[in-house]
Amino acid sequence: MTKEIAKTLLPVGPSSLCFNKDEFMKDSFSVDEFVSTCRKRVQLEQLRDDLTVYQRLLRSAMIELINKDYADFVNLSANLVGLDKAINTLSVPLQNVKQEVTTVDTAVLESLSFIKQKLKKRAEIRQRIACLQRLMTISELVDKMERLLNIPKDGSTFDSDLSTHTLDGALIERVATEFNQLQFHVTRNKKVALLEAIRPRIVQITSVLQHSLEQQFVVGLQQKKTDVLRQCLRTYATIDKVKDVEQLFRQNVIRPHVEEVKRVLLSGTD
């Protein structure tokens, strides 16, 4: 029963009452506050008499409400006869439905677990396939650069004297492009054991490439060939070795000038 319906059921008292019937329906109703408020208007004896009058009105209204719905009150117990039997009749199929739902739920959870395991395994297989593809690419790049640099795969007839392997600028740039791709794939396969078998060949390629680049850069500086220097700088940037060329520039350009300045200054003090 809502508060609005309850208010309508409360009987309306005479206008001479010292309180409003709606006060009793407030959520914040307090007996002490109610009495204190009423005492400001009337004496306690008058409040008692008014409450007694309204109590009689409430009792009369309750009796009238019961008489109005008396048939329903009487038939209530009769209507409940057999209800327990009907509930017991429904309990068995409800238990069966519950069991079926539990079985389906278990099957669904098992299927989800199985699918998750398969998806995890498929992801692992994809990672292995990708790793193998990168290793194949590394091997192909190493073979290609060794052919360009005339380096035998087994290193049996390779001349360790790097001065005999100086390359021209165009070939250096071509090898550097392949080397850049090689470094990318090697970085992504650092923890792969099979890579260790190829690593000595990569080190050899790196040595030849760096030596050729250094020689080409020094020649460009000495002969003041801007096109050669431009190509060398572009190649150093391609293989991410800018710091190496900076160090090379210090050794071959800055250091000689500094030494010359020092020599002049020292000779001037003599």
Side-chain angles (χ1 to χ4, degrees), residues 31-245:
V31 175
D32 294 337
E33 185 177 352
F34 174 77
V35 173
S36 176
T37 302
C38 292
R39 283 192 62 186
K40 295 178 182 179
R41 296 193 293 267
V42 296
Q43 296 295 324
L44 283 176
E45 291 78 6
Q46 179 64 38
L47 175 60
R48 181 195 60 195
D49 295 340
D50 288 351
L51 287 173
T52 301
V53 171
Y54 196 69
Q55 181 186 21
R56 293 170 184 169
L57 289 174
L58 283 173
R59 186 179 293 111
S60 298
M62 182 180 66
I63 294 172
E64 182 180 351
L65 178 63
I66 293 174
N67 290 334
K68 179 180 177 182
D69 298 326
Y70 182 74
D72 294 334
F73 283 118
V74 173
N75 294 330
L76 180 61
S77 60
N79 293 335
L80 294 177
V81 174
L83 181 61
D84 55 344
K85 184 178 179 180
I87 292 174
N88 292 332
T89 303
L90 290 174
S91 63
V92 174
L94 287 176
Q95 288 293 334
N96 293 335
V97 171
K98 180 181 178 181
Q99 184 63 35
E100 292 176 0
V101 171
T102 303
T103 303
V104 172
D105 184 59
T106 302
V108 170
L109 291 176
E110 291 176 353
S111 299
L112 285 175
S113 178
F114 177 78
I115 291 172
K116 287 180 179 179
Q117 291 178 0
K118 291 297 182 181
L119 290 174
K120 182 179 179 181
K121 187 174 181 180
R122 186 173 69 174
E124 292 175 353
I125 292 174
R126 285 181 175 177
Q127 289 179 356
R128 292 177 183 177
I129 292 175
C131 182
L132 288 174
Q133 289 176 340
R134 288 193 293 268
L135 286 174
M136 291 174 62
T137 302
I138 290 173
S139 180
E140 292 172 358
L141 288 170
V142 169
D143 290 343
K144 185 176 182 180
M145 284 187 287
E146 284 178 338
R147 287 195 303 270
L148 293 173
L149 298 173
N150 294 320
I151 300 175
K153 293 183 180 181
D154 56 0
S156 57
T157 60
F158 182 72
D159 190 351
S160 59
D161 186 3
L162 295 178
S163 62
T164 62
H165 295 276
T166 303
L167 310 176
D168 61 82
L171 184 56
I172 291 175
E173 191 167 12
R174 181 180 175 186
V175 174
T177 302
E178 302 293 338
F179 184 81
N180 189 41
Q181 296 182 35
L182 176 65
Q183 288 295 94
F184 171 76
H185 291 291
V186 168
T187 302
R188 299 189 66 182
N189 290 270
K190 284 184 176 180
K191 298 181 180 180
V192 179
L194 292 175
L195 184 61
E196 297 304 318
I198 309 176
R199 195 172 297 279
R201 297 166 63 189
I202 297 175
V203 172
Q204 200 169 55
I205 291 171
T206 304
S207 299
V208 174
L209 179 60
Q210 288 183 335
H211 172 75
S212 299
L213 261 177
E214 291 174 2
Q215 294 299 314
Q216 194 77 6
F217 184 72
V218 172
V219 169
L221 289 174
Q222 293 173 348
Q223 300 179 6
K224 298 181 180 180
K225 293 182 177 180
T226 56
D227 54 338
V228 174
L229 293 174
R230 188 182 297 110
Q231 189 177 54
C232 287
L233 292 174
R234 185 169 59 245
T235 305
Y236 272 111
T238 300
I239 62 175
D240 195 22
K241 297 290 184 180
V242 176
K243 291 185 178 180
D244 290 354
V245 73

